Amino acid sequence: AQKVTQAQTEISVVEKEDVTLDCVYETRDTTYYLFWYKQPPSGELVFLIRRNSFDEQNEISGRYSWNFQKSTSSFNFTITASQVVDSAVYFCALSEVLTGNQFYFGTGTSLTVIP
Amino acid sequence: KAGVTQTPRYLIKTRGQQVTLSCSPISGHRSVSWYQQTPGQGLQFLFEYFSETQRNKGNFPGRFSGRQFSNSRSEMNVSTLELGDSALYLCASRQEQGVQNIQYFGAGTRLSVL
């Protein structure tokens, strides 16, 4: 079974629109971390955020915000006022103690921001 | 601080050949992981090395192997290449192997098998 599910394969938005990327995870562990990465066309995955299982506070960083809800096992990512430079593939990932701290990645969401 | 460096960036091989990819982690990082990325399968975990020992392994055939040196640099080897091995191979390093440690990625090696 997939440990991290990103149901949205591709999303297109017009510049300045808000967009939310969904991430649902599955774990039996009580101690785990969730991550978001951005992969621009150059190929390198760029770390965006880390959140631990004991901290459900939402986080905002500029135009980016993250909503972590343990009750629904979700860690969603919202980009406000999207820009063309936000076009990339975004990956959600889970790291849990139970499986030796291995990273599990979702299949990614390809975001295209149309000018 | 220099990031994760992968060499070469591009590689073209033919079926049946073998290939070695190299990864230099961020200075001070002792864990190196390898991933294969293809359009159809997404990001798939190959293996992770920590202090020269393989700690985790994904579900890949024995043709895929790796090693880590005392300076934490890592190599990945694929023997008897198949067309399906064409992919972007990504290396990631992290300071320790703890659950909280962030993985930082290199730009990848794009392998084409003809």
Side-chain angles (χ1 to χ4, degrees):
Chain A
Q2 276 278 70
K3 282 193 172 285
V4 178
T5 301
Q6 294 180 256
Q8 304 151 308
T9 307
E10 294 180 5
I11 299 177
S12 289
V13 298
V14 176
E15 201 171 19
K16 296 184 184 167
E17 285 184 344
D18 298 348
V19 58
T20 295
L21 310 183
D22 298 333
C23 173
V24 173
Y25 63 93
E26 181 186 322
T27 180
R28 290 179 294 130
D29 212 338
T30 55
T31 302
Y32 56 89
Y33 279 74
L34 296 163
F35 305 79
W36 274 95
Y37 285 83
K38 174 183 180 180
Q39 186 179 38
S42 60
E44 179 177 343
L45 270 76
V46 177
F47 165 73
L48 294 177
I49 191 172
R50 172 186 62 185
R51 174 63 81 221
N52 76 57
S53 53
F54 301 108
D55 181 4
E56 282 193 77
Q57 263 197 330
N58 291 334
E59 181 155 341
I60 298 175
S61 175
R63 296 184 297 108
Y64 295 172
S65 63
W66 291 268
N67 180 260
F68 176 31
Q69 290 194 342
K70 285 177 77 170
S71 60
T72 55
S73 296
S74 65
F75 186 42
N76 297 337
F77 173 30
T78 297
I79 302 174
T80 303
S82 59
Q83 300 176 2
V84 172
V85 293
D86 296 327
S87 296
V89 181
Y90 291 86
F91 290 92
C92 179
L94 164 74
S95 175
E96 54 179 16
V97 174
L98 268 180
T99 52
N101 308 327
Q102 183 181 324
F103 264 58
Y104 293 92
F105 282 88
T107 49
T109 297
S110 177
L111 173 66
T112 301
V113 180
I114 303 163
Chain B
K1 218 177 200 182
V4 178
T5 304
Q6 291 188 245
T7 56
R9 289 295 313 279
Y10 302 92
L11 211 44
I12 300 175
K13 293 285 187 180
T14 56
R15 276 183 302 172
Q17 287 187 309
Q18 78 163 22
V19 67
T20 299
L21 311 182
S22 179
C23 174
S24 293
I26 292 171
S27 177
H29 286 195
R30 297 198 291 160
S31 164
V32 173
S33 295
W34 289 90
Y35 294 85
Q36 181 195 65
Q37 186 177 24
T38 58
Q41 299 294 323
L43 266 172
Q44 291 190 282
F45 172 71
L46 282 153
F47 28 65
E48 179 173 20
Y49 285 86
F50 180 75
S51 293
E52 301 179 67
T53 302
Q54 188 179 93
R55 295 301 180 95
N56 285 310
K57 189 177 188 308
N59 190 24
F60 276 81
R63 299 185 298 106
F64 292 82
S65 63
R67 58 178 175 167
Q68 186 180 35
F69 302 96
S70 58
N71 61 358
S72 294
R73 191 178 71 84
S74 177
E75 286 182 349
M76 191 194 97
N77 185 275
V78 188
S79 62
T80 319
L81 284 166
E82 300 177 359
L83 294 178
D85 297 333
S86 295
L88 178 66
Y89 290 88
L90 291 163
C91 166
S93 76
R94 52 180 169 171
Q95 198 163 18
E96 300 290 338
Q97 213 203 356
V99 67
Q100 76 281 8
N101 294 126
I102 299 164
Q103 287 197 345
Y104 294 94
F105 284 79
T109 294
R110 189 165 295 280
L111 172 65
S112 296
V113 182
L114 306 177

